[in-house]
């Protein structure tokens, strides 16, 4: 039986940056390959992560959009979003 392991913070940061900055869209095959090489994951793992992210992080995406609209110089990527969260 395999044990489940969470992705590292660096991997999550790369994927959440894409997710938030591209309005929750799934990357095309070229960008999946690029994200896979950046995170040392397979394109299938990238696809699965985005499928799960749309279910798990839709509220985070809406909050990011509203903060970017109201504070564009303060909130502009995942790291600034996490730092700004109340």
């Amino acid at each position: 039986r395999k044990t489940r392991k969470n992705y590292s913070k660096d991997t999550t940061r790369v994927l959440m940056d894409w997710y938030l900055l591209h309005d929750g869209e799934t990357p095309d095959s070229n960008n999946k390959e690029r994200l896979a090489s950046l995170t040392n994951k397979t394109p299938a793992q990238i696809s699965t992560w985005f499928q799960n992210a749309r279910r798990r992080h839709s509220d985070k995406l809406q909050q990011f959009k509203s903060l970017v609209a109201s504070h564009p110089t303060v909130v502009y990527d995942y790291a600034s979003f996490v730092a700004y969260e109340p």
Side-chain angles (χ1 to χ4, degrees):
R1 197 174 144 114
K2 290 185 179 182
T3 59
R4 180 180 179 275
K5 293 187 179 181
N6 292 334
Y7 287 174
S8 71
K9 287 184 181 188
D10 289 336
T11 298
T12 302
R13 181 188 47 78
V14 169
L15 297 175
M16 281 299 289
D17 269 345
W18 176 273
Y19 176 76
L20 294 174
L21 295 174
H22 292 89
D23 202 25
E25 296 292 320
T26 301
D28 61 16
S29 59
N30 290 335
N31 284 314
K32 277 184 201 172
E33 291 289 338
R34 189 175 66 78
L35 288 170
S37 68
L38 286 172
T39 60
N40 294 321
K41 303 294 177 195
T42 65
Q45 287 174 306
I46 300 298
S47 292
T48 301
W49 188 91
F50 277 93
Q51 289 170 3
N52 292 331
R54 280 191 294 279
R55 284 195 307 274
R56 295 177 183 160
H57 303 300
S58 62
D59 56 335
K60 194 174 284 192
L61 178 61
Q62 295 306 317
Q63 186 180 13
F64 176 78
K65 285 182 190 179
S66 68
L67 287 175
V68 167
S70 60
H71 307 289
T73 59
V74 178
V75 178
Y76 47 86
D77 66 356
Y78 179 60
S80 64
F81 174 65
V82 170
Y84 188 82
E85 280 184 312

